[in-house]
């Protein structure tokens, strides 16, 4: 059975639990960078940070899978490609350009050399395609992931019609194959030219897009009502078990195992929203944190690096328990900056630059076809109760044709 958000209800495509999960992904990346920057010098505290966030680099993987899932779930049938691309650019570019300029100012202050080619690649978000050492992590180094996201955004509207028509078995094959491909990348590095290993496996957009398509396939399966993963409580327990157990397995298996953990949690959280079940990720505070997580991600490394260089603690850390306190301070400062960016840059620029949503098709038309897929006329719409509206009124409805496959 296909379960598709009705285009008549704007709330139907909103998945607040996934917004909350975005903050968890951001915290994983923040913890990882706090550890790799060696902010904490006290041995016992540093050991705790290292143990907790050794796998934090996979927070970007979490972002990529989430991105593919949310975009497929929220894209309306009949949306124009250029409108999709405009919305995506309006979302990422204002914050990116502002932090790009701030990073150049910091480099000027410290008299760091600026390579024009690297700066332009970073501005136009094509740096992830350049394997030259130092270029893909240039200027505001976390923006390499936006370079990958921009590639995903370009591809999705071109591929989505085929995704909508694809058999569910093919989508399941993608879900199974992607973790195996990620696992194969580790031994496959031996075939690469010396010095390109990290770039190819960790930065190259074509490789990182596998995680995006993993989220795409899972979202389409859930959209059809064909997802067969565990519920949110069990999926969360499995995620914790994988996260803890990964410390005792070879590092080359981490990314593959975590991709499995993430692709269990994400659809489970989405399904909890659709069915109106309890979800810890739907708490109002966590959802707000998720909304500012993009801005937080863009500023956090730049802020920490700048302060540590100004105070002379770059690369050496802070002694005693001042290190953990500094990490908490960075968390608060970055969150405040992110909230300001979200409120006064990201949100108003989205309103100004993003195209208006086109009027939704009539419910009958929405029930007759899904993204142009051929559906027997006799297959009428199927209405699946969703979560009740915030005001306690009628449930949100999810409508779509029966899947003839």
């Amino acid at each position: 059975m296909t379960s598709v958000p009705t285009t008549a209800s704007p709330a139907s495509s909103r998945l607040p639990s996934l917004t909350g999960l975005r903050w968890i992904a951001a915290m994983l990346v923040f913890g990882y960078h706090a550890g790799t920057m060696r902010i904490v010098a006290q041995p016992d505290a540093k050991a705790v940070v290292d143990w907790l966030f050794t796998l934090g680099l996979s927070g970007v993987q979490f972002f990529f899978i989430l991105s593919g899932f949310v975009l497929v779930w929220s894209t309306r049938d009949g949306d124009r490609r250029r409108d999709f691309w405009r919305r995506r650019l309006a979302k990422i570019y204002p914050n990116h350009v502002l932090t790009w300029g701030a990073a150049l100012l910091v480099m000027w202050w410290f008299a760091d050399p600026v390579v024009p080619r690297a700066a332009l690649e970073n501005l136009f978000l094509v740096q992830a395609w350049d394997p030259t050492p130092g270029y893909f992590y240039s200027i505001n180094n976390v923006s390499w992931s936006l370079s990958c996201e921009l590639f995903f955004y370009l591809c999705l509207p071109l591929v989505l019609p085929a995704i909508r028509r694809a058999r569910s078995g093919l989508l399941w094959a993608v879900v199974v194959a992607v973790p195996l491909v990620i696992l194969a990348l580790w031994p496959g590095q031996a075939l690469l030219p010396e010095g390109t290993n990290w770039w190819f496996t960790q930065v190259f957009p074509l490789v990182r897009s596998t995680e995006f398509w993993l989220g795409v396939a899972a979202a389409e399966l859930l959209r059809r009502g064909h997802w067969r993963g565990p519920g949110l409580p069990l999926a969360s327990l499995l995620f914790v078990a994988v996260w803890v157990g990964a410390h005792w397995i070879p590092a080359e298996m981490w990314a593959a195992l975590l991709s499995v953990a993430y692709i269990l949690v994400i659809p489970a959280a989405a399904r909890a929203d659709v069915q109106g079940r309890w979800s810890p990720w739907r708490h109002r505070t966590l959802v707000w944190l998720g909304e500012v997580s993009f801005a937080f991600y863009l500023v956090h490394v730049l802020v920490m690096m700048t302060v540590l260089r100004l105070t002379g603690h770059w690369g050496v850390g802070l002694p005693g328990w001042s290190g953990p306190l500094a990490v908490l301070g960075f968390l608060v400062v970055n969150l405040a900056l992110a909230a300001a960016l979200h409120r006064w840059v990201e949100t108003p620029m989205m309103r100004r630059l993003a195209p208006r949503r086109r009027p939704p098709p009539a419910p009958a038309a929405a029930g007759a076809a899904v993204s142009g897929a051929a559906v027997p006329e006799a297959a009428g719409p199927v209405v699946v109760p969703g979560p009740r509206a915030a005001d306690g009124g009628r449930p949100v409805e999810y409508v779509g044709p029966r899947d003839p496959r």
Side-chain angles (χ1 to χ4, degrees):
M1 180 185 297
T2 303
S3 301
V4 183
T6 175
T7 52
S9 174
S12 63
S13 63
R14 295 174 185 167
L15 300 174
S17 290
L18 298 196
T19 304
L21 283 175
R22 281 167 52 190
W23 177 249
I24 303 303
M27 288 304 298
L28 295 180
V29 178
F30 171 78
Y32 175 80
H33 285 141
T36 55
M37 289 183 180
R38 300 173 184 170
I39 299 172
V40 179
Q42 204 277 338
D44 292 339
K46 184 178 184 302
V48 173
V49 172
D50 290 344
W51 190 90
L52 286 175
F53 295 108
T54 295
L55 308 178
L57 184 62
S58 71
V60 177
Q61 181 184 53
F62 204 168
F63 274 128
F64 288 165
I65 298 173
L66 263 174
S67 180
F69 190 100
V70 171
L71 289 177
V72 167
W73 182 268
S74 61
T75 299
R76 293 175 176 176
D77 301 327
D79 275 358
R80 295 179 297 184
R81 293 172 181 172
R82 64 177 178 268
D83 289 345
F84 174 88
W85 289 324
R86 278 185 61 188
R87 279 192 292 271
R88 293 296 92 206
L89 290 174
K91 171 70 175 178
I92 67 174
Y93 249 97
N95 280 354
H96 164 62
V97 171
L98 186 61
T99 52
W100 177 83
L104 286 178
L105 285 176
V106 170
M107 296 178 73
W108 171 79
W109 178 267
F110 288 109
D112 295 335
V114 177
V115 179
R117 177 181 138 198
L120 288 175
E121 286 183 356
N122 192 282
L123 175 61
F124 293 105
L125 295 177
V126 295
Q127 72 272 34
W129 296 93
D130 190 344
T132 305
Y135 278 45
F136 47 85
Y137 286 155
S138 59
I139 316 302
N140 186 18
N141 57 10
V142 298
S143 65
W144 72 268
S145 65
L146 301 189
S147 183
C148 294
E149 286 277 359
L150 193 61
F151 172 65
F152 306 158
Y153 298 157
L154 175 64
C155 293
L156 182 62
L158 305 176
V159 179
L160 190 57
I163 296 292
R164 296 288 198 231
R165 294 191 299 267
R167 293 182 178 273
S168 295
L170 179 60
L171 298 175
W172 273 113
V174 172
V175 172
V176 173
V178 167
L180 297 177
V181 170
I182 295 172
L183 185 62
L185 287 175
W186 188 276
Q189 294 180 88
L191 304 175
L192 300 174
E194 187 66 29
T196 63
N197 309 67
W198 179 266
W199 166 79
F200 184 81
T201 59
Q202 301 296 324
V203 178
F204 187 35
L206 279 176
V207 171
R208 296 311 300 256
S209 69
T210 56
E211 296 150 346
F212 180 79
W213 298 118
L214 176 60
V216 165
E220 181 62 18
L221 286 167
L222 184 65
R223 184 178 181 272
R224 299 178 184 187
H226 290 177
W227 180 256
R228 296 295 180 265
L232 186 56
L234 179 56
S236 300
L237 287 175
L238 290 173
F239 167 74
V240 173
V242 170
W243 187 268
V244 174
H247 292 81
W248 289 279
I249 65 172
E252 56 265 31
M253 298 180 66
W254 288 352
L257 278 176
L258 287 170
S259 69
V260 174
Y262 295 148
I263 205 55
L264 292 179
V265 168
I266 292 169
R271 188 162 56 187
D273 285 348
V274 171
Q275 297 175 346
R277 296 180 180 177
W278 175 84
S279 169
W281 317 118
R282 206 160 51 228
H283 190 277
R284 180 179 302 177
T285 301
L286 198 57
V287 171
W288 178 82
L289 290 170
E291 290 173 349
V292 304
S293 63
F294 172 59
F296 180 93
Y297 175 77
L298 282 181
V299 302
H300 79 282
V301 168
L302 181 61
V303 168
M304 293 193 293
M305 179 188 67
T306 301
V307 172
L308 291 173
R309 292 181 72 178
L310 286 172
T311 60
H313 293 102
W314 176 251
V316 296
L318 284 81
W321 291 99
S322 58
L325 292 176
V327 172
L328 293 176
F330 281 133
L331 177 62
V332 173
V333 170
N334 283 314
L335 184 56
L337 288 174
L341 270 180
H342 176 73
R343 180 173 180 179
W344 288 304
V345 178
E346 184 179 332
T347 300
M349 293 305 288
M350 274 286 290
R351 291 172 180 163
R352 180 179 296 271
L353 299 177
R356 293 181 179 273
R357 286 281 189 179
R358 300 177 70 189
V370 180
S371 299
V375 179
E377 293 183 0
V382 178
V383 179
V384 181
R388 291 194 174 274
D391 59 1
R394 62 188 296 273
V396 175
E397 290 180 348
Y398 297 78
V399 65
R402 291 186 177 90
D403 189 341
R405 293 181 287 274

